[in-house]
């Protein structure tokens, strides 16, 4: 009798172990391909103007502003497309002079490798249609947790000389990210551009399935591609020096 009980207990233990193992394996293979991500964008406004600290008017202007300008953007995504657009409103006032990209709306087709972006640049509205940016990312073993997801670090470069630091997770399989950044084996949840003193970090990820209509391309603005827009800005801002170049980088995000 005792032997029979032991035999039954062993079978129960084996069965429970198998169930727990299957549950653990199931949970480890759960990957997101649809949802909504909120990004907090922070710009160090004081660092933006550190080269103009000798200007008395600017020093007084900066002293009355918070160090950081914080705004929020939403990224809706499915397995092949992303929509990046302004998110919830902030109570802090908009800061003059922090560059374009305040109200960008960008629809990216990751399968076709194209994007449609609605951008407001110095009171002009543009509809930028082009191929997605090809960034040569270098992935490292450094990790950090963002919005509950373990992310790996990658470093890339845009506009020939502007370094970008990204943190991506392969737990979200869509290879997208904020603005028009993509091309990593998973979703970018953290982004930093040191030369613009700006970061984007996900605050939350929601399992909200987007509708097909959300990925309809924007339609307002003068149609241009990135090369044409860059040439136009270089001509318009040629006398702006470093400040002009920085605005071009902002526009091409």
């Amino acid at each position: 009798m005792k032997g029979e009980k032991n035999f039954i207990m062993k079978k129960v233990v084996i069965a429970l172990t198998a169930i727990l193992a299957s549950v653990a394996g199931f949970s480890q293979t759960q990957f997101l391909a649809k949802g909504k991500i909120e990004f907090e964008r922070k710009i160090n406004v004081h660092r933006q103007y550190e080269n103009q600290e000798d200007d008395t008017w600017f020093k007084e202007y900066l002293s009355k502003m918070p160090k950081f300008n914080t705004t929020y953007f939403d990224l809706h995504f499915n397995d092949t497309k992303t929509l990046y657009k302004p998110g919830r409103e902030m109570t802090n006032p908009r800061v003059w002079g922090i560059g374009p990209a305040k109200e960008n709306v960008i629809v990216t087709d990751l399968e076709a490798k194209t994007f449609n972006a609605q951008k407001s640049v110095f009171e002009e509205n543009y509809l930028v249609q082009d191929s997605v940016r090809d960034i040569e990312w270098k992935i490292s073993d450094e990790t950090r947790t963002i919005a509950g997801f373990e992310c790996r670090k990658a470093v890339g470069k845009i506009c020939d000389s502007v370094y970008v630091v990204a943190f991506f997770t392969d737990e979200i399989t869509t290879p997208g990210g904020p603005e028009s950044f993509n091309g990593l084996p998973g979703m970018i949840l953290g982004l930093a551009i040191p030369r613009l003193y700006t970061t984007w970090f996900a605050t939350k990820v929601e399992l909200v399935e987007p509708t097909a209509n959300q990925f309809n391309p924007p339609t307002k603005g003068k149609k241009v591609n990135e090369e044409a827009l860059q040439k136009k800005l270089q001509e318009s801002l040629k006398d702006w020096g470093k400040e002009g170049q920085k605005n071009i980088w902002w526009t091409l995000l």
Side-chain angles (χ1 to χ4, degrees), residues 27-221:
S27 64
Q28 288 172 4
T29 56
Q30 292 308 289
F31 297 104
L32 301 181
K34 298 176 182 178
K36 173 187 173 184
I37 303 169
E38 181 184 72
F39 283 95
E40 180 184 70
R41 187 184 75 174
K42 296 186 75 171
I43 302 173
N44 189 326
V45 181
H46 289 202
R47 292 295 300 275
Q48 289 276 326
Y49 296 110
E50 63 182 356
N51 294 327
Q52 302 182 51
E53 288 180 350
D54 293 335
D55 188 307
T56 304
W57 182 87
F58 249 97
K59 287 179 71 174
E60 184 177 353
Y61 174 69
L62 284 175
S63 68
K64 297 177 181 178
M65 289 196 304
K67 183 177 181 180
F68 291 97
N69 174 257
T70 303
T71 49
Y72 290 89
F73 290 80
D74 292 332
L75 183 75
H76 299 264
F77 66 94
N78 62 21
D79 51 352
T80 61
K81 295 181 179 179
T82 63
L83 163 65
Y84 176 82
K85 65 176 186 176
R88 57 185 164 112
E89 287 291 327
M90 290 291 296
T91 55
N92 60 312
R94 291 188 178 273
V95 179
W96 172 82
I98 60 171
K102 301 180 185 72
E103 299 174 350
N104 285 354
V105 176
I106 304 172
V107 175
T108 303
D109 187 326
L110 298 165
E111 199 168 50
K113 295 187 176 181
T114 59
F115 74 89
N116 287 266
Q118 185 174 294
K119 299 186 176 186
S120 178
V121 186
F122 304 121
E123 310 306 323
E124 289 278 357
N125 291 319
Y126 293 96
L127 188 61
V128 187
Q129 301 173 323
D130 216 322
S131 301
V132 298
R133 180 188 292 119
D134 185 18
I135 299 177
E136 186 176 336
W137 294 103
K138 293 183 179 180
I139 301 173
S140 73
D141 293 328
E142 184 179 337
T143 63
R144 68 182 295 177
T145 301
I146 302 172
F149 292 84
E150 183 174 317
C151 301
R152 290 181 65 187
K153 180 181 177 180
V155 178
K157 190 167 57 174
I158 62 171
C159 302
D160 297 324
S161 62
V162 181
Y163 281 92
V164 179
V165 180
F167 288 90
F168 72 95
T169 178
D170 58 8
E171 294 177 56
I172 302 177
T173 56
T174 305
E179 295 288 353
S180 55
F181 289 94
N182 55 70
L184 284 163
M187 179 65 72
I188 298 171
L189 295 183
L191 189 75
I193 304 180
R195 292 182 75 174
L196 293 178
Y197 309 110
T198 303
T199 61
W200 292 253
F201 279 99
T203 61
K204 59 183 176 181
V205 178
E206 299 177 80
L207 299 177
V208 179
E209 185 170 348
T211 64
N213 290 338
Q214 284 182 281
F215 298 112
N216 289 338
T219 57
K220 296 180 181 179

Side-chain angles (χ1 to χ4, degrees), residues 231-243:
K231 286 181 178 179
K232 180 178 179 63
L233 290 173
Q234 286 173 336
E235 179 62 28
S236 300
L237 304 174
K238 62 183 178 181
D239 297 326
W240 285 40
K242 292 182 179 180
E243 191 65 28

